[in-house]
Amino acid sequence: MRILNLKSRLVLLLIPCFATSQIINTGELFVASNTPVSFVNAFDNKSKAVLINDGELFLYSHINNDGLISFSSGNSKGITRLRGVSGHQNISGNIPIELYDVEFNNNSNGNAATFQVSNYLSISGMADFKEGIIDDDSFGGLVIFENGSGCVNVSDKSFVNGEVMKNGNNDFNFPVGDELKYHSVGISALKMNTDAFSGKYSQKDAGILYPFKNKTSNILVVNDKEYWTVKKMGSTTDLILTLSWDEAVTPASIIESPSEIRIVRWDSAKNSWLDEGGVVNKDDKTISSPVSVSGNVIFTTAKVKKTDSFVVYNAVSPNKDGLNDYLRIEGLDGTENELEIYDNRGIKVFRTREYGSNENVFNGFANVQNVFLKNERLPDGTYFYILSVAKDNFTTKQVGYLYLSQ
């Protein structure tokens, strides 16, 4: 067994070095920029020990941290490459592991969990999911993406099986999956860089815990094969949620008519599934809608009942030329309705009931005091609208885009 007991600051400026026995660090170990270092056997960072990686660190076996594993503040060049040579890799310890860029590239354990995470793994840069399943669900760990971080190359071959936390306000697709199937949930139009969210995908029947018999009457079929859990730490936040479908998992009854696909949410207060609407992208096989999230919220997809079509003329150019001076919606006569409009950051800028009555229309001005002042003219751009119409003892939601050009 080799013990590193480096009491003074040591900067490694070496060619790749390959250890032939277990590495135990009880001192300070620094990997300088542009310096590749490899540990073939397990690396154990003891209490009060330090490992700072600003270079290129290859780890071919287990890693345990009870001290400090991190990178220098302001450094954006360090990368940790997790590659196995003899089966799975344990990522364990009592103190979170802080990495900048990280590469997951280990499929030596076949279809079983290749990376068994029982510690907290914090990623501040980019995570490259090349190969290998990262399992934090079975081992009690957590993968965390810090503000501004992201991931690439997520697929059925490499994803996180379990919960993923995301800090900050950058748009993010959670790299989550279950049962060897990657099925992300995306969040965008976030507000605060201090916000914290988590996402998880479960390839299970949500109806066992959240009965499908409890649903609004316009919901015909709820997806009984999969669901997503999105958690917001702290107060309620409005955001844009994106779910996807996959013919290998999602029931055919849900996706046979894409125009009838909706996002549905389990409302614990009402003990019922509610329609959240959604804009369908057939090419990407996704559906998106503005939603409110507070605490744990369960989402999945569903097929809804066809209703009277409301024709929305979604080009608005309020220049008083008599053409598209306001948002025209046909078919609302005699209905109880509510219209909400959000900008591309998910901020509500307009809300009204009984749209279209008594010149109650959207003509390019905000009527919600938020980032924009009430009655302030809005900038040109693309906006989300949610039209909620109460009819036949249920409320249906139509969600779409409108295009404002002053």
Side-chain angles (χ1 to χ4, degrees):
M1 180 180 296
R2 184 183 176 195
I3 299 179
L4 296 184
N5 187 6
L6 307 177
K7 297 301 185 182
S8 60
R9 292 174 59 91
L10 173 63
V11 179
L12 294 183
L13 298 171
L14 306 174
I15 60 173
C17 63
F18 292 87
T20 57
S21 59
Q22 185 182 20
I23 300 297
I24 297 179
N25 183 30
T26 62
E28 296 181 344
L29 181 60
F30 295 80
V31 182
S33 297
N34 303 314
T35 302
V37 174
S38 300
F39 296 139
V40 174
N41 288 67
F43 181 85
D44 187 2
N45 202 53
K46 292 296 187 180
S47 176
K48 299 182 180 179
V50 175
L51 168 61
I52 301 296
N53 176 33
D54 294 338
E56 186 176 17
L57 179 62
F58 292 80
L59 297 171
Y60 288 87
S61 188
H62 310 310
I63 176 171
N64 182 81
N65 181 49
D66 294 319
L68 173 66
I69 295 181
S70 190
F71 54 91
S72 297
S73 178
N75 183 280
S76 60
K77 296 181 180 179
I79 183 169
T80 302
R81 302 187 189 276
L82 300 176
R83 297 181 178 178
V85 292
S86 58
H88 73 272
Q89 290 179 267
N90 292 332
I91 301 175
S92 59
N94 296 311
I95 305 298
I97 298 171
E98 300 174 351
L99 305 178
Y100 192 75
D101 289 345
V102 60
E103 176 192 78
F104 298 102
N105 192 5
N106 175 3
N107 197 29
S108 58
N109 210 32
N111 289 331
T114 306
F115 303 96
Q116 299 181 359
V117 182
S118 57
N119 195 351
Y120 283 14
L121 184 60
S122 169
I123 301 167
S124 291
M126 189 64 64
D128 189 351
F129 288 77
K130 288 190 178 296
E131 201 160 13
I133 307 301
I134 300 93
D135 189 348
D136 65 15
D137 196 43
S138 306
F139 302 94
L142 184 64
V143 177
I144 305 169
F145 285 81
E146 303 298 346
N147 192 24
S149 59
C151 49
V152 294
N153 296 324
V154 193
S155 69
D156 291 347
K157 296 193 304 180
S158 187
F159 58 80
V160 178
N161 178 44
E163 184 178 12
V164 171
M165 180 176 286
K166 176 258 183 298
N167 293 322
N169 60 354
N170 60 297
D171 296 350
F172 190 74
N173 288 320
F174 291 93
V176 291
D178 190 18
E179 300 291 339
L180 303 181
K181 177 61 67 174
Y182 161 59
H183 226 164
S184 177
V185 53
I187 56 175
S188 57
L190 308 177
K191 312 299 184 302
M192 305 292 292
N193 59 14
T194 55
D195 279 345
F197 304 84
S198 71
K200 182 179 180 180
Y201 171 70
S202 300
Q203 199 175 125
K204 297 177 179 65
D205 182 357
I208 297 173
L209 297 175
Y210 314 102
F212 293 146
K213 66 179 182 179
N214 300 347
K215 57 184 175 61
T216 55
S217 58
N218 68 314
I219 299 175
L220 297 178
V221 182
V222 182
N223 188 338
D224 63 354
K225 301 296 184 184
E226 58 192 348
Y227 64 92
W228 293 260
T229 305
V230 178
K231 182 192 299 182
K232 168 64 170 59
M233 278 59 93
S235 58
T236 301
T237 293
D238 292 331
L239 53 84
I240 295 174
L241 181 79
T242 299
L243 303 182
S244 58
W245 70 82
D246 186 322
E247 289 83 355
V249 180
T250 311
S253 58
I254 303 291
I255 59 179
E256 60 187 358
S257 300
S259 63
E260 298 169 21
I261 300 174
R262 296 291 186 273
I263 294 174
V264 293
R265 169 178 62 89
W266 175 258
D267 189 307
S268 56
K270 296 181 179 180
N271 196 38
S272 177
W273 288 95
L274 304 182
D275 178 11
E276 289 288 343
V279 178
V280 172
N281 185 321
K282 295 180 183 179
D283 294 332
D284 293 341
K285 298 180 182 178
T286 60
I287 179 168
S288 302
S289 187
V291 299
S292 295
V293 178
S294 177
N296 280 322
V297 186
I298 305 300
F299 295 97
T300 191
T301 52
K303 180 179 180 179
V304 299
K305 184 184 300 184
K306 286 184 177 180
T307 61
D308 297 334
S309 58
F310 305 102
V311 181
V312 179
Y313 297 88
N314 59 353
V316 180
S317 55
N319 54 11
K320 298 184 180 180
D321 64 355
L323 300 174
N324 302 318
D325 284 338
Y326 63 92
L327 180 66
R328 290 178 54 214
I329 304 177
E330 292 183 354
L332 291 179
D333 295 342
T335 64
E336 218 178 290
N337 66 74
E338 178 181 77
L339 179 71
E340 297 174 293
I341 296 176
Y342 296 80
D343 69 9
N344 59 11
R345 296 171 295 170
I347 296 173
K348 187 185 296 185
V349 296
F350 185 88
R351 177 181 179 272
T352 190
R353 295 182 182 274
E354 309 306 323
Y355 187 82
S357 62
N358 301 318
E359 298 185 353
N360 179 23
V361 295
F362 172 70
N363 60 359
F365 286 81
N367 72 353
V368 174
Q369 187 167 338
N370 204 319
V371 171
F372 296 99
L373 295 177
K374 201 171 181 180
N375 301 320
E376 181 177 339
R377 186 170 178 170
L378 296 169
D380 293 357
T382 302
Y383 294 78
F384 257 111
Y385 71 81
I386 303 177
L387 175 62
S388 303
V389 179
K391 194 172 184 180
D392 299 329
N393 297 319
F394 66 86
T395 298
T396 183
K397 287 188 178 182
Q398 182 169 319
V399 179
Y401 295 106
L402 67 87
Y403 308 94
L404 177 62
S405 175
Q406 303 279 13

